[in-house]
Amino acid sequence: MERVEILGVEIDNCSKAEALERVREMLRSGAPHQIVTPAVEQIILTRRDAEFREVVRNADLVVPDGMPVVFASRWMRAPLKERITGVDLVPDLCRLAVEEGGSVFLLGGEEGVAEAVAQKLSNEIDGLKIAGTYFPPFGFEEDPEELRKTIDVVKAAKPSVLFVALGCPKQEKWITKFKDELGAPVMIGIGGAFNFIIGREKRAPQWLQKLGLESVYRFGQRPGEIWKRILRNAPSFCLLYFDLLTYRIQKRITQWVRPMLLGVVDALLAACSFVLSYWAYFRSGFFSDTDPFPNAALLQMPAYSDLLAFVALIGIAGPALCRLYARDKYMEPRDVALQTAKAAMLNVFLLIGVQFVFKDIYREIYSEYGFLGYSRATFAFFGAFNFASLALWRFGFRWLEHGLHCRGLSLDRILIVGRTPFAQQLAKDMLQRPEWGNRPLGFVVNETVEMDEAGPVPTLGRVSDLKRLLPARKIDEVLVADQDLPLLELAEVVRLCRQHRVQLSIIPSLHELLGVSSEVKRLGGARVITVSLDGSLEAMIERKEGPVE
């Protein structure tokens, strides 16, 4: 049965009729099964309670008990078919038990409530067999004698369906822990459903339920309890879901902030280097005894300070032309130093060019001061200071990014299709080299590969599960690393990546794996790969098989 993932909780995408048919199969199998009905409260609880998260993950049937959950799935473009509440399931499961010749047991609720529910259900459903009811005392799960008594009562009754009303998450955890011992084919935690069935608490009108406002209606009946639930869960659910929906927008903003921050600092560093070069040559006392502007402050020198705004622009132009603002997280320290040196040299040449341009624009100023303060020495100092400051800033920024990456922040989240040795080694490299800026979330394998959990990152499912994973997880890129992936599955990966606007990458093709270089070019409406026959293939064959004849 297909599942939809909502904030880490996998929910079966089925109609009520399909869910009941699945329950019928459970009843006929005779083996113990557990049904969980998560609403917003339960979804948020799975993020706080690891044990409850495992309970929901291992449940045999998980259906949505809340319209906000259904709305969330629709906004994710992976819509759940309908809401299926625990209250609505109770009479339907009872009818299934009658049809299959079974019985039901009601456990929990307040004292006397289970008996009243049993009486009401018996009156409404012909032929319903009530195997028993039991109200365990509060805290029975901590008392070994009471716990054993409760389990023995249920076991002796041998029900087909066990309804447990102990409150979430205690009821779900209790069922999971003693599921095999209890032995009922169908077990479900139903929380406060007993109160609705006997009319102690009224359900919201259908139109309010469809709008997802049932909690507002219940707030009028139990304001203290419902208000705490809303305050504890609704803001978290909304914020988490908003974060999921806007994740790619956040990434785009981050991508713009990074070059803007680098550019602003580069501009300031260029202007400071320009002023510092004048001071170092003319006013430091080490290189020249003649100061062209001895009475002027550094930022008020005629024909010099006028250029500061243009020097700031030059400080951005040089690094931009050397691709230092490109989002290239694979640049090694040696490459950073080399590109920074090129940018500083380019800044010097641009400064000389601007100076000559300004000679005509500010002719009066230059004629009055006669190019005072301009010399090859100051330009050399500018280049040296600009390179030093750019290099320190770039390596400092790289160190900052590395620290963020090591803490799992500002990383591109990659899903790897295939669990080949190449894919596993690539995942290990990404984990060991956080400065690359990539975080492998897990593997997705094709339908013929066994679901082996071994590996540097977990196996999250098969290619068919991408339909669930892509809208539900913050995934930036899908990397296809399996050359044996069937064509139909590869086409499905491409379709889903396009549908959910996820970047798709593919490992080098066969000719690249053999060591030859290539380039992609367009011929009319087609794209072709041009292979450079540089002799590397022959060299590889020769190493493996001896000289090529």
Side-chain angles (χ1 to χ4, degrees):
M1 188 177 291
E2 180 185 304
R3 286 193 159 187
V4 173
E5 185 174 328
I6 306 292
L7 297 182
V9 176
E10 295 181 19
I11 300 175
D12 290 292
N13 191 9
C14 58
S15 64
K16 189 176 181 181
E18 292 170 336
L20 292 176
E21 190 59 34
R22 175 75 180 107
V23 174
R24 188 187 299 275
E25 294 173 3
M26 296 178 185
L27 290 171
R28 291 177 178 177
S29 72
H33 298 84
Q34 182 175 6
I35 301 174
V36 178
T37 58
V40 169
E41 180 181 0
Q42 287 72 36
I43 287 177
I44 296 301
L45 187 59
T46 60
R47 306 180 71 87
R48 300 168 178 160
D49 189 331
E51 182 183 355
F52 182 64
R53 181 167 61 248
E54 288 301 312
V55 168
V56 177
R57 181 178 299 168
N58 296 323
D60 300 284
L61 181 63
V62 184
V63 293
D65 188 357
M67 281 307 296
V69 178
V70 178
F71 292 150
S73 71
R74 293 173 183 172
W75 293 328
M76 288 167 50
R77 293 184 290 182
L80 291 165
K81 293 181 180 179
E82 63 178 296
R83 176 196 187 197
I84 307 172
T85 69
V87 179
D88 295 329
L89 278 178
V90 171
D92 291 322
L93 296 183
C94 290
R95 293 187 185 95
L96 274 179
V98 172
E99 294 174 10
E100 298 298 323
S103 60
V104 301
F105 192 102
L106 289 79
L107 176 69
E110 298 180 16
E111 189 170 2
V113 170
E115 290 81 357
V117 173
Q119 184 63 47
K120 183 174 179 60
L121 291 173
S122 298
N123 294 338
E124 294 178 352
I125 301 173
D126 294 336
L128 178 63
K129 296 179 182 178
I130 302 296
T133 63
Y134 185 64
F135 170 68
F138 181 77
F140 77 99
E141 68 276 7
E142 303 295 336
D143 186 334
E145 291 186 7
E146 286 294 340
L147 177 61
R148 175 47 50 188
K149 179 181 178 181
T150 303
I151 295 173
D152 290 341
V153 168
V154 176
K155 285 177 62 177
K158 296 181 179 180
S160 301
V161 180
L162 173 62
F163 297 109
V164 182
L166 299 175
C168 179
K170 182 166 74 173
Q171 59 195 14
E172 285 81 11
K173 293 180 179 180
W174 188 81
I175 291 173
T176 299
K177 188 173 183 179
F178 301 105
K179 180 171 68 174
D180 294 333
E181 192 172 357
L182 294 167
V186 176
M187 290 170 271
I188 177 173
I190 55 173
F194 286 174
N195 291 331
F196 290 111
I197 293 172
I198 61 175
R200 292 182 63 180
E201 188 174 342
K202 293 182 180 180
R203 296 196 68 182
Q206 282 294 324
W207 66 273
L208 274 178
Q209 294 184 38
K210 291 179 180 179
L211 291 175
L213 299 175
E214 188 169 8
S215 294
V216 177
Y217 184 85
R218 296 180 66 188
F219 173 75
Q221 302 179 71
R222 291 186 294 159
E225 179 183 349
I226 301 301
W227 172 249
K228 290 179 181 178
R229 289 186 185 180
I230 294 175
L231 193 62
R232 185 170 58 245
N233 301 302
S236 298
F237 183 83
C238 293
L239 288 173
L240 289 168
Y241 193 69
F242 178 79
D243 178 59
L244 177 64
L245 289 181
T246 61
Y247 172 68
R248 290 192 179 90
I249 297 176
Q250 296 173 41
K251 292 286 287 188
R252 292 192 190 101
I253 293 174
T254 303
Q255 291 172 13
W256 277 102
V257 167
R258 181 180 184 273
M260 286 177 63
L261 175 61
L262 288 170
V264 168
V265 177
D266 287 348
L268 292 174
L269 291 177
C272 291
S273 298
F274 188 57
V275 174
L276 189 59
S277 65
Y278 180 92
W279 176 87
Y281 186 71
F282 290 106
R283 295 191 177 181
S284 64
F286 293 104
F287 302 99
S288 175
D289 297 328
T290 303
D291 185 352
F293 309 105
N295 299 320
L298 282 177
L299 296 179
Q300 296 176 349
M301 294 175 294
Y304 209 89
S305 55
D306 299 328
L307 288 179
L308 284 181
F310 292 93
V311 172
L313 293 177
I314 289 172
I316 299 174
L321 292 172
C322 293
R323 298 191 72 253
L324 282 173
Y325 299 129
R327 192 167 174 267
D328 187 1
K329 295 183 178 180
Y330 299 92
M331 191 177 289
E332 298 293 340
R334 177 178 173 276
D335 299 323
V336 174
L338 182 61
Q339 294 301 319
T340 302
K342 289 181 180 179
M345 292 177 61
L346 188 56
N347 284 349
V348 172
F349 290 125
L350 289 173
L351 178 60
I352 294 173
V354 168
Q355 181 257 322
F356 278 107
V357 170
F358 269 71
K359 179 183 68 174
D360 295 327
I361 297 177
Y362 291 104
R363 185 177 301 276
E364 295 181 1
I365 295 178
Y366 282 113
S367 61
E368 180 181 353
Y369 292 98
F371 285 92
L372 293 175
Y374 294 101
S375 68
R376 281 174 291 208
T378 55
F379 289 132
F381 272 113
F382 171 74
F385 288 139
N386 192 227
F387 168 70
S389 59
L390 277 178
L392 287 173
W393 164 231
R394 277 300 184 285
F395 280 106
F397 192 82
R398 189 176 183 277
W399 174 81
L400 175 63
E401 281 192 315
H402 177 72
L404 293 175
H405 296 338
C406 289
R407 289 165 176 78
L409 303 174
S410 187
L411 294 173
D412 283 344
R413 298 159 64 92
I414 295 179
L415 196 61
I416 303 176
V417 178
R419 203 179 56 237
T420 62
F422 170 80
Q424 297 201 43
Q425 184 59 48
L426 187 59
K428 289 180 183 177
D429 291 343
M430 281 191 267
L431 292 172
Q432 293 170 1
R433 298 289 300 275
E435 65 271 16
W436 287 3
N438 297 293
R439 177 185 178 187
L441 297 182
F443 298 117
V444 173
V445 298
N446 66 46
E447 303 301 326
T448 61
V449 177
E450 294 184 5
M451 291 285 290
D452 186 6
E453 291 294 329
V457 291
T459 301
L460 301 178
R462 303 193 180 278
V463 171
S464 57
D465 292 315
L466 283 174
K467 187 176 181 181
R468 165 180 59 84
L469 294 170
L470 290 184
R473 306 284 180 99
K474 298 176 182 178
I475 298 173
D476 297 296
E477 182 178 345
V478 171
L479 172 61
V480 180
D482 184 359
Q483 288 183 302
D484 298 323
L485 190 67
L487 184 59
L488 290 177
E489 293 190 28
L490 179 58
E492 179 67 4
V493 172
V494 173
R495 185 188 69 82
L496 289 172
C497 287
R498 182 183 296 115
Q499 177 184 346
H500 296 286
R501 300 175 183 176
V502 176
Q503 181 177 333
L504 175 63
S505 298
I506 301 177
I507 63 169
S509 54
L510 180 60
H511 62 276
E512 290 175 315
L513 290 176
L514 291 175
V516 297
S517 59
S518 66
E519 64 173 336
V520 179
K521 66 180 182 180
R522 184 177 293 276
L523 290 179
R527 290 183 178 179
V528 299
I529 298 178
T530 302
V531 180
S532 174
L533 301 177
D534 55 5
S536 56
L537 176 57
E538 289 84 350
M540 178 176 288
I541 296 175
E542 184 175 350
R543 287 196 302 271
K544 291 186 176 181
E545 299 182 0
V548 180
E549 298 295 335

